[in-house]
Structures are given as structure tokens and as C-alpha cells.
């Protein structure tokens, strides 16, 4: 312990500029004060929190526990490991339990209704008279009563509002207990708004980039690392220090509704992209680095979903009870670990490995060769303790996916509990089982009661010393991720600086260029592209029938132009008469047949399982798997989940009609199709009725128009196969990558992994030489 430590008093009573010791100066900014240590870390704190400043050898430190002495965890000169262990030893079980929680989704401001609703002094935001940046009643409660320190941020009104909310929340918790700051997180938030016009000088709320599948289509890990660096800078300006990403599941089943969030179906490409993404997010350099690559530009990466979620039986997803089982007919589970063990856990940068891991909801069916359990991955001792913790020696944070400890209420509801395989356990017993496997944190749980109850179960079974040690082990892991990002020293933001940083011109331009590099040209018959600007184009309207979104909310039917006509008119003259048009531009989306479960069918026949179709026309499964590999749910009276003989109807079948009807109306004039790809698609239904096809994974309309008119040459490659038909989709194994017969078009080109065209023809370059070779595997 240092020899001489003195108080400098409550900064709220001092002037806006004051000398601290020999090297520190304090400057008041808004509701917080910044203390600059020459040659050391900057300290920021809120005077209203009651925190005082300690000095040692002319340097300033925060007295977070207000005990008048410099504890190891308050000393920014010490390692994160030493500091975390010191703090964990001081924490009560209640405080550690709160640290183990991860809040439910938090929009800023809170929504008036729905699953993410909140109030302000008992009123909805619009009626409350409070500021956008004020904390909701619910946020105040879980931060104070339940000691929650990990908060999942969703929508924000503006970067400035997000920064102010962060400052308010950090000031609140700084004055509580041991002064542990909030570690806010986000799901990916850099997607595009298709109808937004790009202007290099305009900026925006956040820079817009292609989604993960689009990044993968560039086959360029360096670009992905650059994205990570920019995204991390914007995250930190919003007060976000943890990314609930990347999603490195290998998309081995093309029907899975989360394919678009992956880096595709090839293990090597996914591995390289995972490594680059995490290096970009986690690495701080220059003045922003504290030590070991960590610092004020670092964002913890929570890589997901261990051990891979892309092999749900029939392509169904485990957010729902009807999709809880991952199957491995190709005996290929170990290959799904490659993006983790060779990518996320073997970084090129100084931080070494992803700081957190999220297991998926799925039951990895019959993969537990040691204990024989068929339970959700976080509940599975073999998956977590034996593989992740012991065999692969991962010692970062492991956080469950959201709501896995809650009770299931229906097999087809998104926001229901997902306690797959352990439904008979009580909620505290579920927490206990998860903790004893080596998991540290519970996603989507704001309440500490079940965690504390789990602790008492451990005390009864193993004794107080054992269970205290187990809790401190998780606390150390969680605290290190907060310490290494500099949040203990200064979690506060300058809202005006945040406004200037997020979505600045340079970041917007980088994102737009990445969008251009993510578009794949699949077909260009007789050099139909590029198109001549100023010509007349016909664009059919898109019909979307009424339905429900994934949250179960009703959506009205729509008939509208699928692109922003204001932008299109800067490139072409637009007509509603095909006879007047020189070209037709048809904008369609991948077929959407739902998740493989039909409620009306369930009511009629007792079994709601239907195929997931990748074609627009009705698809009836004949001779497919019967019985299913896996099945069983407390809410079902059967275990055979076969869909043989059942029919899938596509919600957006009208998209196919847009192409075929336009082709007929154009009387031989060029028809250009832009296909937004969320899943591999049976393009054989419309390929012959098109002169050119662009496949993209979520870009601005303007990016497509720049490629259509030759402003940018297409350069991307398919990160997955496009199947010849549904027969090959049914024949492929859910767990095996690149095992379908790809579609071959009228020009003789196979739409296989790594295929793409530029103006000269089929792309063959260093990327295709590197990645189109045989599939990597790990048996």
C-alpha cells in the first residue's frame, strides 16, 4: 500500500479547474469532472456521486469505496488481474450476483408499450416531461436493487442522448457500494437504411455497413478489421464497451433464419473473418491504449454462439421450442468449433482472445459423449466445462443467451423462456446448474434472487468457502472486461464529442465503400451491365401481405416501390409504363416461408412442422426424413418432428411474380434483378427471365445504382452456395458445409461458394485461390 494518501475533498464544491498533487488537473465538464494525470490515465467522476479523489506520488485516483485509502482495485497502475481479484474479494454475494446479470433490452428512451416498455415516475416517456437521457424507473431499480452492471442498449434517439444517458447511469452507480461502473453492450447496430442517400459530408446517426454476410462476401479480412476499429470507436462514443458479436456460427444449413448474421458457410473464411472482426473491436492503439492492446477504444467482443448454432434440424431456430435441437447427421460438430478455437481464441492482436463467449440455445443432440445429457448448451457440462473451459482452456467470460432460465410458455413464441432440456428444474436450480458448468453470466435477467438462491444451493452441497471461491472466479472474469476498457477510471463522455464522432464523414464513407465491395454479380448475360445513365427504367412495386414479425407483432399489407425513387431519378428517368422503358429494374428479397412451424396446421393435425423453403413457389416435401432425428417438448405430445408430405408457402411469393411479369411486359428488353439475400435462394425460378442478377446482403439503394451504372465494378464473391433446387437442400446434412449441388445458370456458371463476376467475367484472384479449396474440418 502507498505511504501517503490524502483527500482532495468533494469536487462539486471546488472551482472548475484545480491542481491535483504535482501532475493532475481537474476540469468540470457537464455533471462530471475530469482529472488529467500526466503520464497516466485520465480520471473522470461525478461530484454528485460523493466520490472523492486520492493522491499518491502526485497522481490522482478515485476512492470508489469511500474508505479513505487507495485499494488495489482503485490503482490504475496495477494489472487488470490484480485489481479484479482485489475487488472481487471485497464484494458481497449480492453484489457479485448483480454483476452476473445482463439486463433485458433497453431502448433510450424506454418504449411506451410492448416487451421493452418502461416508465418515468410512473408515466410513459411522452407524458413524463423528463429528458431523453433520464433513467427509467425500471433502470433505476435494477441498477440499485439488483446491482446490475451489464446493460443491453438497443435504440437511441441520438449519439448525444446516448452519451448523456451513459453519464447519468454511470454517476448513479459510481455512488453505490464499491463504485463499479456499468458495462453497456449492443447487438450489431451498423446495418444500412436502404433508402438513405449517401453524402460523404452529411454524416449520420451511425455509419452504415453491409451486414456480416455482406462483409464475408468481400473475402477481405483487412476490411472487416477496419470495420471493427471504426465500429468500436462509435460504440465507445455511445457509451458501449461490449459488442454482443460477432456471430461466427458456420451457416451449414441454408434454411436457418440467422444465416444473414454469419460469415457464411465456409469454416476457413468464417475463422479469418472472426479473428479480424474481434481484433478490430478489441484493440486500442497509441494514446488510446492502456496496456496489452486494451484501452479507451476497445470494445469487448462476445463471440457467439458456442459450439455453433447453424445446424438446427430442418433449418429451424432455437429461439423457439420447435427449433431447439441442433443435429449432426454428418458427425461434424467439431468443425463448427473452428471459428472459435482458431479464430476468436487465437487473435493476431495483443488482446489475444475474445473477451466473452455466448453459448447458443440449442440442444446439441447426442453430442455429449461423457455425461449423456441432451440439454441446452449452457446447461451442458460437456459442452461448457469439458470442451470450452478444459480442453480449449478458455478463461474469459461465458454469458448465456437471453431468457434461458425462464419457463417456456409456447413452442412458437420468440419472447418466451428457453430452458431447453431442463424444464423440470426450478429457476434457481437452472441457475445453479449453469454456474457449476463454468458459466459466469445470465443474459436477459434483471433479477438477482435466483442467482443468490443458486449460491445457497452450492453452499449446502459444497460449503461456503467453495461457493465463495466459485463466485469470485466469475467476478474476476467480469471485472477484468470492465477494467481493461478504462471504465473504472473514466466512464464519462462529452456528448458534443460523441455527436461529432458517431457517423462522421470518414466513417460513413468507409461504410459506403464496403457496401460497394459486398455486392455479388451473379449474371451479366451479353454484358447487360453496366447500364447507361439517363435512360428510362421501369420498376415494379412490391406487394407485402399482412402478417406478423418475429416478435409476433401484426404488420399491415403494403404495396410500395421497393427503392427510393428520389435517388433512382438521379440516375434514370422512371416510368410506370414498361413500353416506354429501356430497362426494368426488379428489386426482390430471398423467399420467406417462415421458421418451419405452422400454427393452423398444428391446430388441425396436432403437428405443426412444415418445411422451410428456399423457393418462392409452394414446396411440398416428399420422401424427406421420417422420423426426425430429434424431438420432444413438454408442450408437445409427440417426438417425431417430420414434415414429410407437408407444404410450405412463401410469404413473399409475389416477388417471383415481379420478375416473371416484368419479363413478359418488357418484350425482350433487359430485365435486371437485384436480390437481397438473407438465405441461399433457389434462383432457378427466375434466372432465365433476367439479363443480369446482383445479389446483395443489405446495402443502400444508391450502392446498387452505382454498380448498375458502372460507377463501381462488382468484386464480391458468394459466401455460401446457391442450391440447384429444394431436393439438394433436403439432401444436404445440417452440420456439413458446402455439401449442396449449386445452381448452374443459362451461361453455364455454377453459383457455388466463392463465385462472382466482374465486368470481364468470372473472378479468379488471390481470394478464390485461398478460399475455394477443400473445406476445412475438425473431426
Amino acid at each position: 500500500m502507498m505511504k501517503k494518501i490524502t483527500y482532495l475533498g468533494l469536487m462539486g464544491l471546488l472551482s472548475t479547474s484545480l491542481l491535483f498533487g504535482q501532475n493532475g488537473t481537474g476540469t468540470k465538464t457537464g455533471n462530471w469532472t475530469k482529472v488529467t494525470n500526466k503520464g497516466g490515465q485520465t480520471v473522470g467522476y461525478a461530484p454528485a456521486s460523493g466520490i472523492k479523489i486520492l493522491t499518491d506520488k502526485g497522481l490522482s485516483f478515485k476512492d470508489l469505496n469511500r474508505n479513505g485509502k487507495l485499494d488495489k482495485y482503485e490503482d490504475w497502475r496495477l494489472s487488470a488481474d490484480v485489481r479484479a481479484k482485489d475487488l472481487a474479494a471485497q464484494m458481497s454475494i449480492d453484489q457479485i450476483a448483480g454483476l452476473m446479470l445482463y439486463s433485458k433490452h433497453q431502448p433510450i428512451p424506454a418504449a411506451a408499450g410492448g416487451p421493452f416498455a418502461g416508465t418515468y415516475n410512473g408515466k410513459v416517456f411522452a407524458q413524463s416531461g423528463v429528458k431523453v437521457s433520464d433513467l427509467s424507473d425500471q433502470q433505476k431499480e435494477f441498477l440499485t436493487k439488483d446491482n446490475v452492471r451489464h446493460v443491453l442498449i438497443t435504440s437511441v434517439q441520438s449519439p448525444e442522448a446516448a452519451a448523456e444517458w451513459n453519464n447519468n447511469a454511470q454517476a448513479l452507480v459510481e455512488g453505490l457500494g464499491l463504485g463499479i461502473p456499468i458495462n453497456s453492450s449492443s447487438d450489431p447496430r451498423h446495418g444500412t437504411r436502404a433508402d438513405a442517400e449517401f453524402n460523404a459530408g452529411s454524416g449520420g446517426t451511425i455509419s452504415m455497413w453491409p451486414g456480416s454476410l455482406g462483409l464475408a462476401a468481400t473475402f477481405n479480412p483487412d476490411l472487416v478489421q477496419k470495420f471493427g476499429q471504426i465500429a468500436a470507436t462509435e460504440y465507445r462514443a455511445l457509451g458501449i464497451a461490449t459488442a454482443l458479436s460477432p456471430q461466427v456460427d458456420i451457416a451449414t444449413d441454408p434454411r436457418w433464419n440467422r444465416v444473414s448474421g454469419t460469415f457464411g458457410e465456409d469454416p476457413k473464411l468464417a475463422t479469418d473473418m472472426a479473428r479480424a472482426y474481434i481484433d478490430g473491436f478489441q484493440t486500442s492503439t497509441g494514446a488510446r491504449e492502456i496496456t496489452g492492446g486494451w484501452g479507451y477504444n476497445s470494445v469487448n467482443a462476445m463471440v457467439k454462439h458456442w459450439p455453433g448454432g447453424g445446424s438446427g434440424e430442418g433449418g429451424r431456430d432455437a429461439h423457439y421450442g420447435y427449433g431447439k435441437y441442433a443435429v449432426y447427421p454428418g458427425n461434424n460438430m467439431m468443425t463448427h468449433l473452428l471459428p472459435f478455437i482458431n479464430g476468436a481464441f487465437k487473435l493476431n492482436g495483443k488482446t489475444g482472445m475474445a473477451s466473452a463467449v455466448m453459448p447458443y440455445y440449442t440442444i446439441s443432440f447426442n453430442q455429449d459423449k461423457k455425461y449423456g445429457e441432451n440439454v441446452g448448451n449452457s446447461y451442458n457440462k460437456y459442452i461448457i466445462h469439458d470442451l470450452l473451459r478444459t480442453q480449449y482452456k478458455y478463461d474469459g467470460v461465458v454469458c448465456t443467451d437471453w431468457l434461458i432460465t425462464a419457463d417456456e410458455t409456447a413452442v412458437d413464441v420468440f419472447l418466451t423462456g428457453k430452458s431447453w432440456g431442463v424444464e423440470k428444474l426450478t429457476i434457481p436450480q437452472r441457475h445453479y446448474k449453469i454456474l457449476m458448468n463454468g458459466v459466469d453470466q445470465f443474459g436477459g435477467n434483471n433479477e438477482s434472487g435466483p442467482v443468490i438462491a443458486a449460491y445457497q444451493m452450492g453452499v449446502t452441497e459444497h460449503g461456503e468457502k467453495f461457493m465463495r471461491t466459485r463466485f469470485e472466479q466469475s467476478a474476476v472474469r467480469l471485472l477484468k472486461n470492465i477494467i481493461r476498457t478504462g471504465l473504472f477510471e473514466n466512464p464519462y463522455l462529452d456528448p458534443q464529442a460523441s455527436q461529432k464522432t458517431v457517423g462522421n464523414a470518414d466513417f460513413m464513407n468507409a461504410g459506403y465503400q464496403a457496401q460497394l465491395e459486398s455486392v455479388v454479380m451473379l449474371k451479366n448475360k451479353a454484358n447487360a451491365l453496366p447500364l447507361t445513365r439517363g435512360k428510362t427504367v421501369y420498376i415494379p412495386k412490391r406487394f407485402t401481405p399482412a402478417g406478423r414479425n418475429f416478435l409476433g407483432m401484426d404488420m399491415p399489407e403494403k404495396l410500395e416501390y421497393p427503392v427510393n425513387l428520389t435517388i433512382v431519378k438521379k440516375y434514370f428517368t422512371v416510368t410506370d409504363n414498361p413500353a416506354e422503358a429501356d430497362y426494368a429494374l426488379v428489386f426482390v428479397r430471398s423467399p420467406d416461408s417462415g421458421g418451419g412451424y405452422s400454427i393452423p396446421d398444428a391446430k388441425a393435425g396436432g403437428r405443426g412442422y412444415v418445411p422451410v423453403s428456399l423457393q418462392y413457389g409452394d414446396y411440398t416435401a416428399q420422401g424427406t426424413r421420417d422420423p426426425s432425428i430429434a424431438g420432444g417438448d413438454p408442450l408437445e405430445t409427440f417426438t417425431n418432428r417430420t414434415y414429410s408430405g407437408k407444404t410450405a408457402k412463401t410469404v413473399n411469393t409475389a416477388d417471383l411474380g415481379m420478375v416473371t411479369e416484368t419479363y413478359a411486359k418488357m418484350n425482350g428488353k433487359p430485365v435486371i434483378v437485384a436480390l437481397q439475400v438473407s438465405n441461399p435462394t433457389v434462383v432457378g425460378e427466375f434466372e432465365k427471365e433476367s439479363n443480369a442478377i446482383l445479389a446483395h446482403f443489405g446495402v443502400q439503394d444508391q450502392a446498387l445504382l452505382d454498380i448498375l451504372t458502372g460507377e463501381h465494378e462488382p468484386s464480391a464473391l458468394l459466401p455460401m452456395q446457391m442450391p440447384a433446387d429444394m431436393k439438394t437442400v433436403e439432401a444436404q446434412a445440417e452440420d456439413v458445409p458446402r455439401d449442396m449441388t449449386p445452381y448452374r445458370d443459362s451461361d453455364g456458371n455454377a453459383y457455388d461458394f466463392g463465385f462472382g463476376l466482374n465486368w470481364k467475367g468470372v473472378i479468379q484472384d488471390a481470394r478464390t485461390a485461398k478460399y475455394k479449396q477443400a473445406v476445412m474440418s475438425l473431426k
Side-chain angles (χ1 to χ4, degrees), residues 516-517 519 706-707 710-716 757-760:
L516 293 171
E517 293 179 35
V519 179
D706 277 346
I707 290 177
E711 293 291 328
H712 185 88
E713 183 172 16
S715 60
L757 301 172
N758 56 23
W759 301 142
K760 296 178 182 178

Side-chain angles (χ1 to χ4, degrees), residues 7 31 48 75 179 182 198 258 270 304 409 555 620 735-736 762:
Y7 276 118
N31 65 345
D75 190 343
I182 292 168
F198 173 71
R258 300 193 71 177
K304 56 190 187 184
T409 57
M555 305 293 289
T620 300
D735 60 324
V736 178
V762 178

Side-chain angles (χ1 to χ4, degrees), residues 23-104:
N23 298 323
T25 46
T27 305
K28 196 166 188 301
T29 304
N31 65 345
W32 62 281
T33 298
K34 178 169 66 175
V35 182
T36 303
N37 284 301
K38 186 177 180 181
Q41 289 195 46
T42 295
V43 173
Y45 71 103
S49 71
I51 292 297
K52 297 171 183 174
I53 294 296
L54 304 170
T55 60
D56 179 72
K57 298 181 179 178
L59 299 173
S60 300
F61 306 84
K62 293 160 72 171
D63 185 14
L64 290 165
N65 60 6
R66 298 172 296 282
N67 67 353
K69 64 179 183 179
L70 184 61
D71 293 87
K72 289 181 180 179
Y73 87 90
E74 298 164 336
D75 190 343
W76 44 259
R77 295 168 296 189
L78 301 178
S79 72
D81 190 62
V82 168
R83 296 177 68 187
K85 288 178 179 176
D86 176 65
L87 178 52
Q90 296 188 41
M91 295 176 72
S92 68
I93 293 303
D94 286 4
Q95 289 170 329
I96 296 177
L99 197 65
M100 289 176 166
L101 303 179
Y102 226 121
S103 85
K104 298 174 183 177

